[in-house]
Amino acid sequence: MNELWKMGGATGTPPAVDFKKQAVIAVFAGKESTSSIAVAKVEDAGARMVSITLAKSEGECATKPSVSSPHEIVTVPATSLPLTHTDVVTTASCPK
C-alpha cells in the first residue's frame, strides 16, 4: 500500500488495509486532458464488475496539457471473484 500511496502523490501515512478482509482498487487517468476519474460502482455477481467514470475535458481546455494525474484509490470488501471493469467516458466543460 505504501508504494501505491506514493504513486498517487499522497503525503502522510497511508491508511491501514487488512488484505484478508479488504481489497484496494486504484484507477489512474495518466497525464492527459482529463478532468477526473472515479470508481463509480462495484457490483459482485459472476465477477466483480468495477465501473469507472472518466470525465474528459472538451473544447479549448482539452488541448491544454495536463499537469495533474487524476486518480482514485478505494477499498472494497475482499472477494475471490474474478475482476473485470467497464469504462464510462463523459465530457466535462472547461472550468471558468
Side-chain angles (χ1 to χ4, degrees):
M1 184 68 182
N2 289 338
E3 290 302 313
L4 182 60
W5 195 247
K6 289 177 191 174
M7 284 176 60
T11 59
T13 305
V17 177
D18 180 349
F19 285 101
K20 291 180 182 174
K21 297 179 182 177
Q22 297 175 299
V24 175
I25 298 173
V27 292
F28 294 84
K31 291 189 177 185
E32 59 178 77
S33 298
T34 302
S35 299
S36 66
I37 189 167
V39 175
K41 183 172 35 171
V42 177
E43 296 177 296
D44 292 340
R48 171 162 282 175
M49 172 62 76
V50 178
S51 297
I52 301 165
T53 301
L54 183 64
K56 295 208 173 238
S57 300
E58 65 180 359
E60 186 179 305
C61 61
T63 60
K64 296 178 182 175
S66 176
V67 294
S68 65
S69 296
H71 65 279
E72 183 174 47
I73 302 170
V74 298
T75 58
V76 295
T79 183
S80 60
L81 293 172
L83 180 67
T84 187
H85 80 280
T86 183
D87 296 336
V88 178
V89 179
T90 62
T91 54
S93 298
C94 294
K96 304 235 181 223

